């Protein structure tokens, strides 16, 4: 049998610090830093003793990801090198281990190596440096299972089939004979079918057919099955578990189909970066981002812009039912022959790593927003199709009439930002039609992969009016996509603000393009997404206002957009009689849940006169089927009242990252967007804090991540001069095998 040994602890970093992986080589400030700080070499070293039980077995060190140009040495001799920073690699230790102590040295180089993607030009994101994903030791029999590809070719048939293609690892070219058994387990873990085949080469294909009673994987019911593979040869045995799902996908000229049902895709782009720690947060942070996308933003698709992301992230997408567009590393620039060969390899590495994820619906095989390059993209497409016939390819471009070599035409359509009122070239249109973009005389599968972003950067602490315009733009584009059956959906730029190079963003090394800030705290635009879900998933009632009389230019709060999935809302100003409003279907005819827009014409001059003299409280109530389901109060005289501290989890493992969010609230429980109060963070117990321990509130909130360093009670406290101290406890517990 194989074993997987955790290899993340006790690395000596740069000869001085003891660190645990995942790790970022340089912890960066929040903003205004020199991004060259991490663009150099770093050394990690780990000493370990080879277990005598490994004798006669295959032993490899597996790196899930290291940025970048990793070189691995064992006892001073280089044994592996891997340039790409986003895909896994192995260093084979078999036959090279000393019986006493051994030293593994890993040198990574954060310099932007122009020979490999995404480097060579400018890039609107940072790539950081370090061994930023897990490392583990794999010990197997000399002949073992190398990789498994599971396909469900007829997932919609009455009885279903699953094919299991197995690659056998046989590094010493041993004579091969034996047998391999595939056992299918249902979501409850019960074995429901099994087949055995004789093994006589380094490839095997097993088929389980005629399967009845199989549940489909879908976004609301992400049923996951498991394939257990057992290999028996004269060299020993091996066993692997692979999760997968039965589901059917199709991108058609009339939209996207999941299990034969039309599903309008509504999603966001995600960078895998975090403030301070860059790429270096582990499993829990990756998983939490999926929970945020699925449950807080309630989107149905995410694009892993612009590179393959953490396996933990993808696993969680499978578990929660969040569709994924995954793409190869790159940003606009295409390099020379060697660079292109590496990009083609990246297609292979991405697909062979991730082909069993039911959540992944298409492979992005172009360098994001690069120019056309026929031979290059013919090759990336051919590579993808040769490896995976079950998923369409796509390739993200940003100009019309680009050569269409893929299966899905994916377009970053920023036309909304190019309208005359902004000094642009066009009357205002939220999206172009697919034919206008493709230039083709036929409809093809078409998906918008970015909009928004740099055309309307918006900070969490920006003026209300700007935030309302930000919201309007999202509403307009998404409404247009819902209104056009030829558009499979939209993926907006982007989920979370991110650190970037000096060439982009606000000069502060941040692109404020997220519907959430870097701490994943929502801006108003986040509720555009959330409010598109049915109220059964949680009622949304989010008036786009700070409820202040003088915040907007000239003043007042009208027109007031209320993002909601209620079918009616009640609004009251002070003690005046309440008024009822329904969603603005005239302005947004296609959205699942149009917002309510309250404007001057809804009031008489007398009523508006009431707003004139004194600024009063605001009150909103949401109704679904005539029943009051939500209320919001806004204080006319907000005062700093409470400092709250919330952790994503109250109990974590012994080396787990957890996010905490601090919010300053007024007496009505609303955030105080302009309270730029310093907050001191103190941590007691077995944990380290990432980032500084004195931070400002931004947009009424701040966030930070902790990593537990053992078991016990962690106490986190936040203190501000105006609001005193708030503390919470988190239990760090020994992990139980899951
Ligand atoms: C796109 C690009 C993204 C990001 C975005 C900002 O052109 O693909 O990576 O830079 O613009 O709006």
């Amino acid at each position: 049998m194989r074993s997987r040994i955790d290899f993340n602890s006790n690395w000596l970093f740069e000869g001085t610090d003891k660190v645990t992986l995942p790790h970022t080589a340089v912890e960066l400030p929040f903003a205004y830093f020199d991004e060259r700080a991490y663009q150099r070499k770093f050394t990690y070293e780990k000493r370990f003793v080879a277990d005598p039980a490994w004798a006669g077995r295959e032993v490899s060190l597996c790196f899930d990801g290291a940025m970048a140009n990793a070189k691995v040495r064992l006892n001073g001799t280089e044994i592996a090198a891997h340039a790409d920073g986003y895909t896994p690699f192995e260093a084979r230790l078999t036959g090279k281990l000393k019986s006493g102590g051994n030293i593994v040295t890993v040198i990574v180089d954060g310099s932007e190596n122009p020979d490999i993607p995404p480097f060579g030009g400018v890039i609107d994101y940072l790539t950081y440096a370090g061994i930023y994903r897990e490392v583990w030791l794999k010990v197997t029999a000399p002949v073992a299972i190398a990789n498994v590809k599971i396909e469900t070719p007829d997932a919609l048939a009455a009885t279903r089939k699953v094919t299991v293609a197995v690659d056998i690892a046989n590094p010493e070219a041993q004579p091969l004979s034996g047998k391999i058994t595939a056992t299918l387990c249902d979501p409850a873990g019960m074995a429901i079918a099994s087949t055995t085949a004789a093994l006589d080469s380094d490839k095997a294909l097993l088929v389980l057919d005629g399967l009845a009673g199989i549940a489909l994987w879908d976004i609301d019911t992400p049923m996951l099955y498991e394939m257990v593979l057992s290999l028996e040869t004269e060299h020993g045995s091996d066993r692997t578990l692979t999760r997968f799902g039965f589901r059917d996908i199709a991108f058609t000229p009339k939209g996207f189909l999941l299990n034969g049902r039309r599903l309008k895709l509504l999603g966001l782009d995600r960078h895998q970066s975090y403030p301070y720690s860059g790429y270096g947060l582990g499993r829990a942070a990756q998983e939490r981002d999926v929970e945020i996308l699925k449950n807080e933003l309630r989107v149905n698709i995410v694009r892993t812009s612009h590179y393959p992301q953490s396996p933990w992230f993808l696993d969680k997408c499978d578990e929660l039912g969040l569709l994924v567009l995954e793409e190869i590393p790159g940003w606009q620039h295409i390099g020379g022959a060697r660079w292109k060969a590496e990009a083609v390899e990246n297609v292979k590495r991405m697909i062979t790593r991730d082909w069993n994820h039911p959540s992944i619906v298409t492979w992005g095989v172009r360098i994001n927003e690069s120019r056309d390059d026929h031979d290059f993209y013919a090759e990336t497409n051919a590579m993808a199709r040769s490896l995976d016939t079950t998923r369409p390819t796509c390739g993200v471009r940003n100009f019309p009439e680009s050569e269409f070599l893929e299966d899905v035409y994916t377009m970053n359509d920023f036309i909304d930002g190019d309208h005359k009122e902004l000094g642009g070239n066009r009357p205002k249109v939220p999206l172009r039609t697919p034919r206008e973009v493709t230039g083709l005389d036929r409809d093809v599968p078409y998906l918008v992969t970015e909009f928004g972003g740099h055309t309307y950067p918006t900070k969490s602490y920006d003026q209300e009016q700007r935030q309302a315009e930000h919201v309007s733009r999202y509403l307009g584009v998404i409404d247009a996509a819902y209104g056009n059956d030829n558009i499979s959906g939209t993926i907006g730029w982007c989920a979370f603000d991110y650190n970037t190079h000096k060439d982009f963003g606000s000069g502060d090394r941040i692109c404020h393009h997220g519907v959430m800030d870097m701490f994943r705290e929502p801006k108003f635009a986040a509720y555009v997404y959330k409010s598109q879900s049915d109220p059964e998933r949680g009622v949304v009632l989010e008036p786009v206002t700070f409820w202040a009389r003088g915040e907007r230019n000239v003043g007042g709060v009208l027109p007031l957009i209320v993002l909601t999935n209620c079918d009616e809302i009640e609004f009251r100003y002070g003690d005046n009689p309440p008024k009822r409003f329904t969603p603005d279907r005239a302005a947004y005819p296609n959205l699942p849940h149009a917002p309510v827009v309250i404007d001057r014409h809804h009031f008489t001059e007398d009523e508006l006169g009431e707003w004139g003299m004194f600024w009063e409280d605001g009150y909103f109530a949401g109704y679904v089927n005539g029943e009051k389901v939500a209320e919001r109060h806004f204080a006319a005289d907000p005062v700093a009242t409470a400092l709250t501290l919330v952790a994503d989890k109250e109990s974590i493992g012994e080396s787990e990252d957890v996010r905490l969010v601090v919010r300053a609230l007024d007496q009505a429980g609303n955030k105080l967007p302009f309270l730029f109060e310093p907050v001191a963070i103190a941590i007691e117990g077995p944990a380290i804090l990432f980032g500084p321990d004195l931070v400002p509130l931004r947009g009424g909130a701040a966030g930070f991540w902790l990593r537990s360093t053992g078991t016990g009670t962690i106490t986190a406290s936040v203190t501000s001069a105006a609001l005193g101290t708030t503390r919470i406890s988190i239990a760090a517990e020994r992990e139980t095998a899951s």
Side-chain angles (χ1 to χ4, degrees):
M1 289 302 155
R2 65 172 56 206
S3 43
R4 179 190 164 116
I5 301 163
D6 184 313
F7 223 67
N8 293 317
S9 57
N10 292 319
W11 288 83
L12 190 66
F13 177 63
E14 291 287 86
T16 50
D17 299 346
K18 218 168 83 178
V19 301
T20 300
L21 309 179
H23 180 252
T24 194
V26 176
E27 208 177 82
L28 294 167
F30 187 80
Y32 288 113
F33 49 79
D34 182 345
E35 64 266 34
R36 288 170 303 187
Y38 60 79
Q39 294 182 30
R40 62 178 180 87
K41 285 189 176 157
F42 299 93
T43 305
Y44 294 78
E45 186 180 289
K46 183 172 164 89
R47 286 160 194 264
F48 67 102
V49 176
D51 187 334
W54 300 346
R57 317 253 306 148
E58 266 300 316
V59 187
S60 296
L61 205 49
C62 303
F63 293 81
D64 286 342
M67 185 63 75
N69 270 306
K71 295 196 172 20
V72 184
R73 293 191 196 135
L74 180 68
N75 302 321
T77 306
E78 185 168 314
I79 55 165
H82 187 75
D84 176 54
Y86 295 101
T87 47
F89 59 99
E90 295 188 8
R92 186 169 178 236
L93 307 185
T94 315
K96 299 173 195 137
L97 287 165
K98 292 204 268 188
S99 55
N102 291 275
I103 304 178
V104 169
T105 311
V106 183
I107 298 157
V108 295
D109 190 347
S111 315
E112 302 195 346
N113 171 3
D115 291 339
I116 58 164
F119 307 117
V122 291
I123 324 169
D124 174 18
Y125 54 94
L126 300 183
T127 52
Y128 310 94
I131 309 180
Y132 73 95
R133 289 185 188 148
E134 276 92 341
V135 177
W136 44 286
L137 202 70
K138 182 172 72 175
V139 184
T140 68
V143 171
I145 296 164
N147 201 357
V148 180
K149 176 165 73 162
I150 300 179
E151 293 180 351
T152 58
D154 54 0
L156 300 186
T159 59
R160 292 166 187 158
K161 175 156 98 181
V162 47
T163 65
V164 188
V166 188
D167 276 332
I168 302 295
N170 182 13
E172 296 295 335
Q174 308 268 13
L176 269 187
S177 72
K179 59 175 188 172
I180 184 155
T181 301
T183 305
L184 174 65
C185 297
D186 71 10
M190 295 291 290
I192 53 172
S194 189
T195 184
T196 299
L199 184 80
D200 50 15
S201 78
D202 60 1
K203 294 210 179 304
L205 183 69
L206 296 112
V207 180
L208 289 162
D209 213 344
L211 301 166
I214 295 287
L216 292 176
W217 184 95
D218 210 313
I219 53 170
D220 296 328
T221 50
M223 304 302 271
L224 291 170
Y225 285 73
E226 198 161 54
M227 190 63 72
V228 182
L229 282 180
S230 305
L231 174 71
E232 302 285 344
T233 71
E234 60 195 284
H235 315 287
S237 58
D238 193 16
R239 187 167 180 268
T240 59
L241 307 178
T242 309
R243 274 196 333 188
F244 70 101
F246 290 83
R247 57 112 182 90
D248 185 82
I249 51 154
F251 279 90
T252 78
K254 283 274 179 209
F256 174 74
L257 304 177
L258 178 60
N259 298 328
R261 192 186 80 244
R262 201 130 78 108
L263 176 70
K264 189 63 88 170
L265 297 173
L266 179 63
L268 288 160
D269 289 270
R270 180 227 182 203
H271 270 303
Q272 61 176 20
S273 58
Y274 298 86
Y276 320 124
S277 311
Y279 284 169
L281 293 185
R283 173 178 184 171
Q286 306 296 325
E287 293 182 340
R288 182 68 192 153
D289 272 3
V290 182
E291 288 167 2
I292 290 170
L293 286 156
K294 174 81 186 182
N295 298 327
E296 290 185 25
L297 295 165
R298 300 188 190 157
V299 295
N300 57 30
I301 188 165
V302 60
R303 171 171 170 229
T304 65
S305 51
H306 300 298
Y307 36 76
Q309 299 192 355
S310 164
W312 296 123
F313 182 85
L314 297 170
D315 281 349
K316 199 71 183 175
C317 290
D318 292 344
E319 285 164 26
L320 295 189
L322 180 64
L323 304 172
V324 180
L325 183 170
E326 189 173 35
E327 69 188 356
I328 52 171
W331 203 86
Q332 294 193 350
H333 165 80
I334 299 177
R338 202 166 133 200
W339 193 103
K340 289 181 186 175
E342 182 74 6
V344 175
E345 261 319 285
N346 281 338
V347 172
K348 184 173 177 188
R349 294 177 186 129
M350 169 176 78
I351 295 179
T352 54
R353 188 192 72 161
D354 290 333
W355 52 21
N356 295 320
H357 289 285
S359 55
I360 297 178
V361 292
T362 176
W363 304 116
V365 300
R366 281 177 73 112
I367 302 303
N368 170 63
E369 296 192 337
S370 54
R371 62 177 194 272
D372 282 343
D373 184 326
H374 178 86
D375 292 351
F376 177 37
Y377 290 132
E379 210 181 329
T380 58
N381 274 285
M383 173 61 88
R385 290 175 181 137
S386 73
L387 295 167
D388 183 4
T389 55
T390 71
R391 289 180 184 86
T393 61
C394 68
V396 172
R397 65 263 289 159
N398 61 347
F399 58 94
E401 297 183 30
S402 152
E403 191 190 11
F404 184 40
L405 296 168
E406 296 77 27
D407 303 312
V408 185
Y409 199 107
T410 37
M411 175 71 180
N412 292 347
D413 189 357
F414 287 105
I415 200 69
D416 189 44
D418 187 30
H419 64 88
K420 284 209 172 97
E421 295 139 60
L422 279 183
N425 302 311
R426 323 240 323 188
K428 189 160 170 55
V429 282
L431 285 175
R432 280 169 279 195
T433 62
R435 285 210 194 186
E436 197 183 345
V437 170
T438 63
L440 300 170
D441 58 4
R442 62 182 199 283
D443 294 330
V444 296
Y446 183 90
L447 173 68
V448 174
T449 37
E450 292 183 30
F451 68 89
H454 63 279
T455 65
Y456 210 75
T458 303
K459 302 179 182 74
S460 58
Y461 41 90
D462 266 341
Q463 197 201 20
E464 173 175 311
Q465 213 154 9
R466 185 172 188 90
Q467 303 221 35
E469 174 63 17
H470 192 220
V471 160
S472 298
R473 286 163 180 246
Y474 272 91
L475 287 167
V477 171
I478 296 169
D479 183 73
Y482 272 97
N484 187 334
D485 286 347
N486 298 127
I487 301 179
S488 294
T490 55
I491 301 179
W493 191 265
C494 58
F496 315 126
D497 290 352
Y498 54 98
N499 285 124
T500 190
H501 284 94
K502 65 170 179 26
D503 318 74
F504 303 93
S506 300
D508 53 356
R509 309 302 193 280
I510 300 173
C511 269
H512 299 267
H513 295 174
V515 299
M516 292 182 145
D517 70 11
M518 283 207 276
F519 299 115
R520 284 63 173 148
E521 184 67 354
K523 302 175 192 172
F524 286 112
Y527 298 97
V528 172
Y529 286 92
K530 190 174 193 177
S531 62
Q532 299 316 313
S533 62
D534 287 341
E536 296 82 74
R537 290 188 67 194
V539 174
V540 180
L541 180 63
E542 195 63 33
V544 181
T545 181
F546 300 139
W547 199 256
R549 188 192 218 163
E551 157 66 0
R552 295 190 181 198
N553 304 339
V554 182
V557 293
L558 301 179
L560 175 54
I561 303 169
V562 183
L563 297 165
T564 185
N565 51 9
C566 294
D567 35 51
E568 197 178 15
I569 72 164
E570 182 180 281
F571 166 68
R572 199 175 66 222
Y573 179 74
D575 289 331
N576 293 293
K579 278 187 180 286
R580 293 276 182 131
F581 299 89
T582 50
D584 189 351
R585 297 230 150 267
Y588 304 104
N590 309 303
L591 287 175
H593 295 281
V596 168
V597 182
I598 304 177
D599 210 344
R600 292 188 69 87
H601 66 263
H602 292 117
F603 300 91
T604 64
E605 281 309 314
D606 279 357
E607 283 169 333
L608 288 171
E610 294 288 335
W611 300 50
M613 201 50 140
F614 299 104
W615 185 238
E616 306 273 0
D617 289 356
Y619 168 82
F620 299 81
Y623 290 80
V624 173
N625 297 327
E627 219 180 289
K628 192 194 284 183
V629 287
E631 285 182 307
R632 292 292 300 272
H633 293 265
F634 288 85
D637 57 345
V639 286
T641 304
L643 194 66
T644 63
L645 180 60
V646 182
D648 282 342
K649 286 185 184 174
E650 282 163 10
S651 113
I652 58 177
E654 56 196 308
S655 178
E656 181 171 329
D657 301 337
V658 63
R659 178 188 65 148
L660 289 87
V661 178
V662 192
R663 296 185 185 97
L665 304 180
D666 68 13
Q667 65 271 41
N670 295 311
K671 274 196 286 191
L672 294 159
F674 307 123
L675 186 72
F676 294 93
E677 186 74 9
V679 172
I681 305 166
I683 308 300
E684 283 166 43
I688 50 168
L689 168 70
F690 295 114
D693 60 7
L694 184 66
V695 298
L697 295 169
R698 297 176 176 94
F704 56 92
W705 278 265
L706 299 180
R707 177 174 293 172
S708 52
T709 54
T711 57
T713 302
I714 302 164
T715 307
S717 67
V718 287
T719 304
S720 93
L723 290 162
T725 297
T726 303
R727 53 171 64 77
I728 58 167
S729 295
I730 298 171
E733 290 158 357
R734 180 133 303 132
E735 267 117 277
T736 48
S738 58

